[in-house]
Each structure stands twice: as C-alpha cells, then as structure tokens.
Amino acid sequence: MRRSHSRASWALTLTLVAATARAQDVGSILEVLEEEVVTGASRSAERAGDAPATSVTITAEELRRYGIRDMEEALNFLSLGMFAHRRQSTAEVGARGMAVSRDANGHVLVVLDGMVVNEQGGGAVYLHDVPMELVDHIEVILGPGSVLYGAQAMLGVINVVTKRPKDHEGLHATGSFGASPTMDGGGSADLGRWTGHDNRYSLSLGRTFELLGLRGGLVAGLDYSDFDGPNFHYDKQEMAGVDLGPHAAPGYWGGQVRDQWYARTLGGYTRLELGDLTWTTRATTTRLGMPQQDLFESRAPSAYDDTRNTNDYQLLLSDVRYEKRLSARVSGLARTYFGYSARENSRFVIGHEARLPGVPLGVIDPEQCPAGPTGPCRKDAYFYSRWLGVELQSTFDWLGDGAYTTLVGVDARTRTAAYEFVTFDELTGSSYGSDPGLTRWHAGGYAQADEHAVGAYLQQTLRPTSFLAFNAGLRADVDSRIGAEYTDEALSPRAALIVNPLDSLSVKLIYSKAFRAPSFLEQNIVNGRLLPNANGLEPETVSSYELATTVRFSRNSLTTGCFYADWRNLIELRVVDAQAPAVSRFENVSDVRNYGAFLNFDGAVMEGRLRFGLNTMLTSAERVLRDEQQERNERFGTGDTVPMTVAPRVLGNARASYALFGDHAVSLTGGYLGTRTADQAYVAGDPTNLSPVPTAPPQLELQGALTGTVPKFTEARYSLGARYAFSSSEPFVVGPNQGLPRYLNGTEEQAELAKVNRLTVFAGLEFHLDASDRKTESTAASASGGATR
Amino acid sequence: MTRRLLTWVLVGGFVLGTHLRAEAESPTAPVAVQAQIATRILTFERSFKNVSGDVVVVIAERKSDPDSSSAARQMERALGEIGNVGGKRLAVTVVSYANAAQFADECRKRRAVVAYLTPGLGAEIRDLASKLEGTGVLSIAAVESYVAAGAVLGVEVVSGKPRMSINLRQAKLQRIDFPSAVLKLARVYQ
C-alpha cells in the first residue's frame, strides 16, 4: 500500500514537473510572436522571414525604452546597416557601407503611411519630417527597392507606419527637454557651461467612432522640435580681402559659433479613416542654420555665425486611398496623392566680391553680390516642387488561398519643379535680377519644368509549399527626365528565392535592381559656377545580390548575410575648372563596387525582462575610376579605385534594456561608425589638394535612459537619459578650404571637419489623458505580467 | 452650372456612399501567422491532451463576403501545410456559415477542437459565443476586435509584431484553459 502511494506520488510529481515545464516553455509561441510582420518589402503584410528583402523593424516601444527622440538616433542605435550623420543640422543617410554625400538623401526612399516623403524636384528627404511621437514602427528595408516604389529606392526604403486610432485613443501631450554643454576648441565638452538645448513637444489625439454605420478613426497631432546647438569653436581659415561680419576676424573664416547652429521644425499630421477610405496629410515647416561654410556658402561668402543665414523647408503631403476586396480572389487599391515642397537657402553677405570691370550693375551672375553702392546683400536660392499622382493597384489571388498571388499596379504622376537664384540689395530690398538674358556667364539662374512619370509594376508570389517561396517582380518607369536611349535602365527587376527548411529557419537569395533618374536640379541648374551638361545625364542604377539566413529560437533571432552591389553612373558634381571661381558640372562620374557581410541578433531572457540586440556590418565601397580619371590622377599614385567618402567600413550598434519593478526600465545603447574619409577628400573620385587626407576618426555614441510611469500618476510617463559621442568630428569638410581636384590645383590646403554635439542630457514627460486604450492595455499588462514586448 | 455641379456631387456621393456602406473587414494579422499561433497555443490548452483522433478545425465562411472566403481558403491552406499539432493530424473543414446555432451544431457534430471565425461575422460573435459555451471549442477570430465581443483568441499586428488577445471569461465559458505562462504573452480581456 505504502509502495503504491509512493509510486502514485512519484507519478504525480513527474506529471506536475512535465506540465510545469510545458507550461513554462512557451518558446514555440514566442518564436511567432517575436517575428516581425513587415509591409514595406512587397506592399502586403507578411512575416519578415517571407519578405523578399532584409529588414529590421524598430517599434514605438523600443523608441520609448531606449530614449530615442529622432530618426537619426533610431537609425544609428537600432537599425541594421543604415546610418545617419547629423552634419550639424541636416541628417545624411547611408546604408550598407555606401553613402553619397550632399545628395540630400536622394538615394534612400522614405515612405510615411504609404506616402513617399521625398520631394520631386531634387529627390531630397529630411528625417525631421517624420512625426516621431506618432510612430508605431519603422521598417528599415535594406537594398534596392525600386521594383514597387520606383526611382530613388537605391540604398533602401525607410517605411514609417504611424499609430492606428485604436492604439492611440485619447489625448496625448509630450515634452522632452535636452541640454548640451559648450565645446572647446578641441571639441571637448565644458560641463561648466550649458549653452545648447534640444527640446521636443507634441500634442496629439486618437479617436475611434462610428459614422453612417461605418467604423472610423482619427489620429491628429502637432509636433515642434527646437534644437539650438551648444557654443563651439572652429579654427580660422584665411579668406583674404573678405569681410565675414562682426563674428569673424577680417580676412578670416572661423572662430566661436554661438548663433548659427539651430533647427526648428513645426509639423502637423492627420489621418482620417472611414470604412475603406483613408485620408492622410502631413505638413512641416523647418528653419535651420548650419554653422559650417560648405560648397554652397563658399560661392557666397556669407557672414560668419550670423542668424541671417537661414535654410527654410516646407513640405505638404496628402494622400487619399480607397482599398477594397472585390471578390475572394481580387482586391484593389486606388489612391491619389499630392505633394508640395519649398526650400529656400538664404545667405547674408557683407564682403562683396570684386565687381568685374566693364560689367554694369544688374548684368551679373545671379549668385553674385556685386560691390554695389548701398551695402550688404542677400543671396537666395529657391527650390520648389509640387506633384499630383494617381496609383491603381490590384492583387489577384489565383487559387484564393494566398499561395499564388499577382500584384499589378500603375502609378502616374505629374510634377512641376523650379529653381531660382536671386540676389537682393539688403538695404533697399531691390533684386539684382535673375533674368537669364542678363546673366554673365552661362545663362541660367532660373528654370521651371512640367514633367510626367508613369510606372507600371508587377509582382508574382509563389508559395507552392510551406518551405519554398518565390517572389519575382518587375517595374518599368517612363519618366520625362530619362532620355529615350536610357529607358531600359529604368527597368527594376527583383527576384527572391526563400527557403524555410524548418519553421524557425529561413534562407533568402535575393536579386534586385533600382534606379534614380537625374533630378530636375541635376539636369537644369545653371549659374556662374555650374555649367549645363550638354551630353545629358544617364540614370543611376544599382544591382544587388544578397544571401541572408535567419534562425529563430524562442525570443531570440539571428540573421546573417552578405551582399554585393554594383552601382553604375553615379551622378555627382565634377570640378571642370579650378581657376577662381571654380566651375563644376553634374556628370555621370563613376561606378561603385559595394559588398559586405552583416549580422543581426535580437534576444531576451528572464521572461523578457532583459532584452538585448546587436547589429553589425562589415563593408567595402570602392569607387571605380574611369580611364580618363585614372590617367589624370596617375601621378598621384591613385590607382583604379578610391574609397567612397563619408561611409564607414565597419558600423553597428548594440543595446540592452532591463525591466525594473513596475514598468520602469533602464537601457543602454551604443552606435559605432568606423573611420570615415571626409567628403571633400575626393571630388567625384578625383583626389583633392586637401592635405593630410581629411578623415573622421571612429565614432562611438552611447545613450543611456531610464523610463517608466510616474509614481502615483499612471497617466504620465517619464524618461531621463544622456547621449555621449566619443569623437568630436563628422566626415564633412567645413570652411572655405573645401579642396579642389589635385590634378587641377596642386596647392595644398588643410581641412577642418564639422563638429558633433558631444553630450546631450535629456528629460521628458508624457501625459495620456482620456486614454481608454491605455487603461485596457494596463489591465492586460498587469494580467500578463507585462511580458509582451 | 450650379445644377450640374449639384447633380455630380449627388451622384458622386451616392456612388461613394454605396461603396462605403459595403465596408469590409480584413484579418488583423497575416492568416499564416494566425495559423501558426493557433496551432502552437493549442498544445498548451489543458484539455488538448484528451483529444483523440484528428484535431478538427472548422472554418466558418460567409460566402457572400469576399474577405471571409479569402481568409477561409488561406487558413485552410496554412493549416494544411502545418499538417499536425502535437503529433495529431489536423483535419480542416470549411463550412458555410448560416447562423450561430447551425455553426455551433456543426462544431459539435464534427467534434471540433478549433473554430476559425473569418471576417464578416462581427455581428454574429456574441450569439456565436453563447452557442459555443461548454463545447470545449477554441474559437479563433480572424479580426482581433471579435475577441472583445466573445471570441476566445485573436491575433493582430501591433508595432510590427503579432500580438495575441484572449478573452479569459469566454475561454472559461467554452471550457478552454490556458496556463498563466501563455496568458502572460497575451492581451487579456477579463
């Protein structure tokens, strides 16, 4: 009897242990819950493992937990393979070890809730246009993506998805305040003086409702960011005979910077959903000052550290879409979209350039401030674009079960782009004129063009079995910017073979190609320093081959891969005459070989309390010089390739966060960019006379944050943190010494690099009022132990 | 001119209104993801070990609703590819949904373990929930908002990742019992 009791108790114990072990071992569920669902790669929701591209998703929760406040930080601290240099006021994005300096991010496509954010004149996109407080998640998709998005998706696509009304119910107010200390001449932080600030404010609401028997939702918000860089110092560079105003010594550029490092953006966002109809609008206005004197300012010797030098940007995007399933096998989408952008760069010039003998006032290059009788002048450059488009898309599910689907679409847009250079007498306000007939050198100074573009695309997905999938697509674009002889270069194919030998293992082999049509500015901009290109410009193209493997186990995932990308016909400014003033021309200057390997690891232990991640990429990007370039630089021992500037060969980030008591969390994240050759070390591939070769040292940025709910006030959250950069330099040459091709000018110049804001300490508060969804969430979280990510 | 404009506005409004009235519901997560979660969570359900024979899944399809038909076919295929759960074969049947009582009867008759509720059944969920009480059937909704109305399990994508929702009260009424380790992973409706 006793023995049978013993057996029974053993059996019971074993059963309990087994049951407990099974109950605890929810890894198989977590494998699915932790796998990202992406929409950007094939424009439909699918598991990241099934998507025909390598991507990472940055969630709103991660942004909050790591104290991330803007897109630059999100890319540098949390993304795989994509990075952003701040360039003191406007971020420049690169990816996979490749970056094209001064392209205003024209090689990456940013999509906000389905709207392309890149403006349609120069293709520029600014990361400050993303409404960070409304972000639900950001998909960073690496590699060419023109197959579904058309031009510009060369480095990748940043697909920003904002919160749904039901996830943002209530009224929300946030305020985040940052402070930065003054930097000394060496770029070190002086903790005794805090002269910089970086503040963000937002007010938003979310509502769900029923109207006419239809479900509806509204998300609307206002956001304002106010950055004022700390005081710092640039070394002096000689500018003989030029007066740069009261903040500079006569005849010199450089000295203390107090006023001209700032960026302020005011933005508004609305999304109204009613049934199958969605109307989204985003508008921003930005004013920023960049304390460096770069190529543009070198042509216009603007007053040093003067708030009258401004850069203004306005952007308006609006999109109305109607999405409907027409039958069990056919669904459709129709949308119309509108965009407007304006950029105005204004420079205040005190020391005029010498008036040319025999040239009457008013018959000038529109960039020139002549030595007039009245005083200082203002040199303005205006860039405008507006566009209107329609996109129709349909999906055919041949068997009705999602296994064989065809996506077809057509996207047509008309756009108007314009630029103008105007010079004003500062005292009288009268213009010196920009009439092309009166300009001195090459005509130009103004142009406007109405353009049209149509793209048709097709994507076929085949999933014959659970372990094999094939995704192939092709897009053809006809664009008035692309000459008839180059239309085949605007064909963008993609093919991806995806093998899932196990549920938790996927292997992808991807080929993709993308293009970028010459922008309106590259084709049309002409002034005293910019010559037209009589031969026309070819589109840029990039072809990419990629192999990636992902293994998932419980909350963890490991992705490794490698890629090779072949860039052709990169369009850049080439200096064609180094005699003062130097004259440049946009040309298809070179090809680039770009390859590398990457690793991404995401993991969590202790039931998700401790989370960690690592992204790293080792790359090479080499510009292949053309024969004539090799010949003219042969005497400098240049060889047949030179490194791409600005982009690091090694980049990555690592992060860890730990959930403390309640929902408080502490986190640390670090972003690393290896040694970078400065932008002006090479001009369009030609080595310059800057000596020594300007190079930015490796950059390690660390950010720590403490976040959570304010004790005894559950509707409020706080964040405290600091970001510190170990290096003070960015790979951008500042000041008048911008360098000239060495084969044209052998006089050596010494370069100075743009500064990095070394330290920012920040504190933030969020209030969520009438947040019925949050109450539900908190109920759920408490019931669930807050274990969901 | 004004009359013509007014006519166009009225015609446009009518056409738009007609289409808007035919508002559709879509699955709130890819159906393949829902299938994966459904089959993985099922093994944690305490009475699952008592299932003898095939694991029967009944999919409710409203034939007049294209979203419903599409989700039904996709789920049927996804479950077919998964093949089995905990060593037991999955047997999937799509039934035409007429009303809650009829569907509940189908589930009982077929000894269903899982009922998948496709889009377009939003107005039926409360009725369905009451009819499925005591059956031991795990009702899984294609649309997450059905969970609050009475489906036991739903999946949606939040911040780029799938998230489960479980109606705990309804689960108990349907004799579905998940361990706390599973509940910790879900948004729980009490």
Side-chain angles (χ1 to χ4, degrees):
Chain A
M1 185 71 182
R2 192 172 173 179
R3 224 169 132 176
S4 68
H5 268 290
S6 173
R7 275 184 193 161
S9 59
W10 270 108
L12 184 64
T13 307
L14 285 173
T15 307
L16 282 173
V17 168
T20 308
R22 191 188 60 187
Q24 299 300 325
D25 181 22
V26 290
S28 62
I29 301 175
L30 284 167
E31 262 175 28
V32 186
L33 295 179
E34 291 289 336
E35 181 167 10
E36 292 145 0
V37 173
V38 296
T39 55
S42 60
R43 294 180 74 172
S44 63
E46 61 193 337
R47 298 182 313 163
D50 294 335
T54 297
S55 66
V56 292
T57 299
I58 301 167
T59 66
E61 171 55 26
E62 288 172 312
L63 296 176
R64 172 185 282 176
R65 194 186 322 136
Y66 291 102
I68 303 297
R69 306 200 307 158
D70 57 35
M71 281 292 290
E72 294 92 314
E73 291 177 357
L75 294 178
N76 289 336
F77 288 131
L78 300 176
S79 81
L80 167 67
M82 205 171 268
F83 59 93
H85 288 113
R86 283 181 188 272
R87 209 172 164 223
Q88 296 214 283
S89 283
T90 51
E92 287 202 358
V93 177
R96 304 207 301 186
M98 175 76 186
V100 183
S101 186
R102 301 180 199 281
D103 71 340
N105 301 325
H107 291 82
V108 65
L109 200 75
V110 177
V111 179
L112 173 65
D113 291 330
M115 302 183 291
V116 170
V117 185
N118 300 58
E119 53 90 12
Q120 297 291 304
V125 61
Y126 301 101
L127 298 185
H128 58 235
D129 288 327
V130 174
M132 288 301 286
E133 294 302 329
L134 294 176
V135 166
D136 178 76
H137 64 278
I138 303 163
E139 296 171 10
V140 179
I141 303 161
L142 292 173
S146 285
V147 65
L148 295 180
Y149 291 101
Q152 293 190 259
M154 300 185 83
L155 289 167
V157 177
I158 300 174
N159 185 32
V160 181
V161 180
T162 61
K163 289 172 179 159
R164 297 172 301 183
K166 72 185 270 264
D167 296 328
H168 198 59
E169 198 89 42
L171 188 65
H172 312 265
T174 69
S176 176
F177 309 92
S180 298
T182 296
M183 297 188 290
D184 64 18
S188 300
D190 174 2
L191 297 179
R193 290 188 299 153
W194 295 72
T195 50
H197 67 253
D198 186 1
N199 302 334
R200 322 284 169 107
Y201 313 91
S202 76
L203 185 65
S204 61
L205 63 88
R207 275 280 179 271
T208 52
F209 54 84
E210 276 205 16
L211 183 67
L212 303 171
L214 299 169
R215 281 187 305 277
L218 171 72
V219 172
L222 286 172
D223 51 277
Y224 179 66
S225 64
D226 174 18
F227 168 77
D228 195 349
N231 296 353
F232 71 100
H233 178 90
Y234 275 136
D235 289 341
K236 288 178 181 167
Q237 295 180 26
E238 188 174 0
M239 291 188 81
V242 175
D243 178 8
L244 295 182
H247 294 174
Y252 287 93
W253 176 92
Q256 189 76 5
V257 175
R258 293 185 184 86
D259 298 328
Q260 207 191 321
W261 189 10
Y262 63 90
R264 295 174 200 117
T265 298
L266 174 66
Y269 175 93
T270 60
R271 189 171 76 252
L272 179 65
E273 300 172 357
L274 189 62
D276 300 317
L277 199 66
T278 306
W279 180 19
T280 311
T281 300
R282 171 67 172 161
T284 62
T285 179
T286 299
R287 169 165 282 196
L288 59 88
M290 293 182 287
Q292 69 266 31
Q293 184 169 8
D294 60 12
L295 282 179
F296 176 72
E297 296 187 20
S298 282
R299 293 182 211 120
S302 54
Y304 184 75
D305 188 34
D306 195 312
T307 52
R308 286 169 290 191
N309 299 316
T310 58
N311 302 277
D312 291 317
Y313 306 87
Q314 279 89 40
L315 179 74
L316 172 65
L317 303 170
S318 195
D319 176 298
V320 180
R321 64 179 56 207
Y322 181 68
E323 203 164 359
K324 186 154 185 68
R325 178 170 285 283
L326 304 170
S327 75
R329 299 184 180 192
V330 182
S331 60
L333 176 150
R335 75 179 185 110
T336 181
Y337 54 93
F338 168 79
Y340 168 81
S341 77
R343 193 172 100 213
E344 300 180 6
N345 299 336
S346 187
R347 300 291 177 267
F348 183 73
V349 182
I350 296 166
H352 295 190
E353 292 168 75
R355 188 174 167 185
L356 289 188
V359 178
L361 194 62
V363 185
I364 57 167
D365 178 271
E367 270 198 307
Q368 291 290 98
C369 278
T374 49
C377 84
R378 175 174 293 283
K379 296 178 173 182
D380 285 1
Y382 305 135
F383 308 96
Y384 297 109
S385 69
R386 62 171 185 258
W387 59 99
L388 178 66
V390 176
E391 182 172 17
L392 300 172
Q393 187 187 93
S394 190
T395 304
F396 299 90
D397 183 353
W398 296 101
L399 301 180
D401 59 7
Y404 302 92
T405 56
T406 305
L407 175 78
V408 291
V410 60
D411 181 1
R413 74 188 69 165
T414 178
R415 60 194 176 211
T416 300
Y419 84 89
E420 184 175 15
F421 292 117
V422 187
T423 304
F424 297 98
D425 184 302
E426 178 64 12
L427 297 182
T428 65
S430 61
S431 167
Y432 288 120
S434 61
D435 183 345
L438 299 178
T439 54
R440 193 173 63 218
W441 286 327
H442 314 294
Y446 168 84
Q448 178 175 323
D450 294 319
E451 303 172 317
H452 310 284
V454 181
Y457 54 89
L458 180 144
Q459 176 183 259
Q460 179 63 49
T461 306
L462 307 170
R463 290 197 175 92
T465 70
S466 61
F467 61 87
L468 186 67
F470 188 65
N471 181 309
L474 177 69
R475 175 168 172 137
D477 280 89
V478 178
D479 192 321
S480 51
R481 292 179 188 166
I482 299 174
E485 64 272 39
Y486 304 128
T487 47
D488 57 334
E489 292 180 22
L491 288 174
S492 308
R494 177 174 70 187
L497 178 68
I498 300 152
V499 183
N500 296 298
L502 303 169
D503 276 352
S504 55
L505 173 66
S506 82
V507 181
K508 297 180 188 177
L509 190 61
I510 305 162
Y511 165 74
S512 55
K513 183 169 175 276
F515 79 102
R516 187 179 75 89
S519 73
F520 164 80
L521 295 179
E522 288 163 345
Q523 287 186 321
N524 293 283
I525 196 165
V526 176
N527 61 32
R529 314 292 171 88
L530 279 171
L531 296 174
N533 188 329
N535 300 323
L537 293 167
E538 285 187 51
E540 298 176 346
T541 61
V542 57
S543 302
S544 169
Y545 306 84
E546 184 177 327
L547 174 68
T549 306
T550 301
V551 186
R552 310 193 63 79
F553 44 103
S554 187
R555 291 182 191 268
N556 311 295
S557 73
L558 173 69
T559 300
T560 57
C562 56
F563 67 91
Y564 174 82
D566 183 15
W567 293 69
R568 296 288 170 95
N569 294 316
L570 218 57
I571 299 170
E572 285 183 292
L573 271 179
R574 185 168 91 77
V575 178
V576 294
D577 185 354
Q579 300 305 309
V583 178
S584 305
R585 182 167 56 205
F586 280 108
E587 291 184 8
N588 291 104
V589 291
S590 56
D591 304 334
V592 177
R593 282 196 304 247
N594 174 212
Y595 53 90
F598 56 87
L599 181 147
N600 159 266
F601 179 71
D602 273 310
V605 292
M606 303 168 71
E607 294 193 323
R609 296 181 81 83
L610 178 62
R611 291 186 165 272
F612 38 85
L614 172 74
N615 294 301
T616 185
M617 192 171 266
L618 308 176
T619 68
S620 172
E622 290 186 323
R623 193 191 288 268
V624 182
L625 300 185
R626 298 185 170 177
D627 290 344
E628 64 271 21
Q629 263 186 310
Q630 290 183 43
E631 282 171 25
R632 66 187 179 228
N633 293 301
E634 193 175 7
R635 59 195 150 120
F636 311 118
T638 304
D640 57 354
T641 61
V642 296
M644 280 302 288
T645 56
V646 175
R649 284 177 165 243
V650 181
L651 67 150
N653 51 63
R655 63 189 183 278
S657 69
Y658 183 73
L660 304 166
F661 55 93
D663 71 341
H664 303 278
V666 61
S667 67
L668 180 67
T669 177
Y672 179 81
L673 298 173
T675 304
R676 292 142 293 161
T677 306
D679 57 347
Q680 291 298 104
Y682 299 90
V683 174
D686 292 315
T688 63
N689 58 345
L690 294 175
S691 181
V693 175
T695 304
Q699 177 65 283
L700 173 63
E701 279 193 284
L702 289 181
Q703 177 158 311
L706 179 67
T707 58
T709 301
V710 176
K712 298 183 180 175
F713 193 29
T714 56
E715 307 292 10
R717 293 185 58 84
Y718 71 90
S719 62
L720 299 167
R723 188 183 73 236
Y724 181 75
F726 282 81
S727 165
S728 64
S729 299
E730 286 203 308
F732 301 101
V733 173
V734 297
N737 294 349
Q738 290 284 312
L740 288 165
R742 209 168 152 190
Y743 77 93
L744 292 174
N745 187 331
T747 310
E748 290 188 348
E749 291 180 346
Q750 195 166 357
E752 178 158 14
L753 299 182
K755 289 285 194 294
V756 173
N757 187 8
R758 296 295 293 275
L759 175 64
T760 301
V761 177
F762 58 87
L765 271 178
E766 300 171 27
F767 296 95
H768 304 282
L769 308 174
D770 185 27
S772 53
D773 64 330
R774 294 194 159 271
K775 286 172 189 163
T776 315
E777 288 280 357
S778 99
T779 308
S782 69
S784 66
T788 49
R789 186 172 177 173
Chain B
M1 183 65 186
T2 310
R3 276 181 68 178
R4 184 182 290 180
L5 185 67
L6 190 63
T7 307
W8 277 110
V9 168
L10 287 174
V11 169
F14 175 76
V15 170
L16 193 63
T18 309
H19 280 270
L20 287 176
R21 285 226 166 261
E23 173 194 15
E25 286 177 316
S26 302
T28 46
V31 175
V33 173
Q34 294 183 344
Q36 279 191 315
I37 288 176
T39 50
R40 294 186 186 204
I41 201 174
L42 200 54
T43 58
F44 292 88
E45 203 279 313
R46 292 194 204 277
S47 60
F48 178 73
K49 61 180 182 296
N50 300 328
V51 174
S52 57
D54 294 346
V55 176
V56 177
V57 180
V58 178
I59 298 173
E61 177 192 9
R62 174 160 265 173
K63 290 201 181 272
S64 58
D65 188 320
D67 282 292
S68 174
S69 298
S70 173
R73 299 298 156 212
Q74 289 185 55
M75 180 56 84
E76 185 182 20
R77 181 183 176 93
L79 292 174
E81 287 179 348
I82 292 170
N84 66 74
V85 181
K88 296 167 186 170
R89 198 178 75 88
L90 277 165
V92 185
T93 310
V94 180
V95 301
S96 180
Y97 183 89
N99 57 56
Q102 168 263 351
F103 182 72
D105 284 346
E106 285 283 352
C107 289
R108 283 194 191 89
K109 195 167 70 186
R110 296 172 189 272
R111 302 179 67 185
V113 176
V114 173
Y116 182 64
L117 311 177
T118 55
L121 297 175
E124 307 283 325
I125 296 298
R126 287 186 197 285
D127 202 10
L128 256 173
S130 68
K131 296 288 188 298
L132 289 174
E133 284 176 15
T135 58
V137 174
L138 168 62
S139 52
I140 300 175
V143 181
E144 193 273 342
S145 59
Y146 293 180
V147 177
V152 172
L153 174 70
V155 183
E156 65 178 333
V157 177
V158 179
S159 273
K161 291 194 175 181
R163 181 178 70 179
M164 299 190 298
S165 296
I166 292 175
N167 187 326
L168 204 53
R169 182 174 169 276
Q170 187 62 32
K172 283 175 185 163
L173 292 172
Q174 288 180 210
R175 295 187 187 165
I176 299 295
D177 187 7
F178 291 118
S180 61
V182 169
L183 296 178
K184 279 183 181 175
L185 305 178
R187 175 184 191 176
V188 176
Y189 291 85
Q190 298 286 358

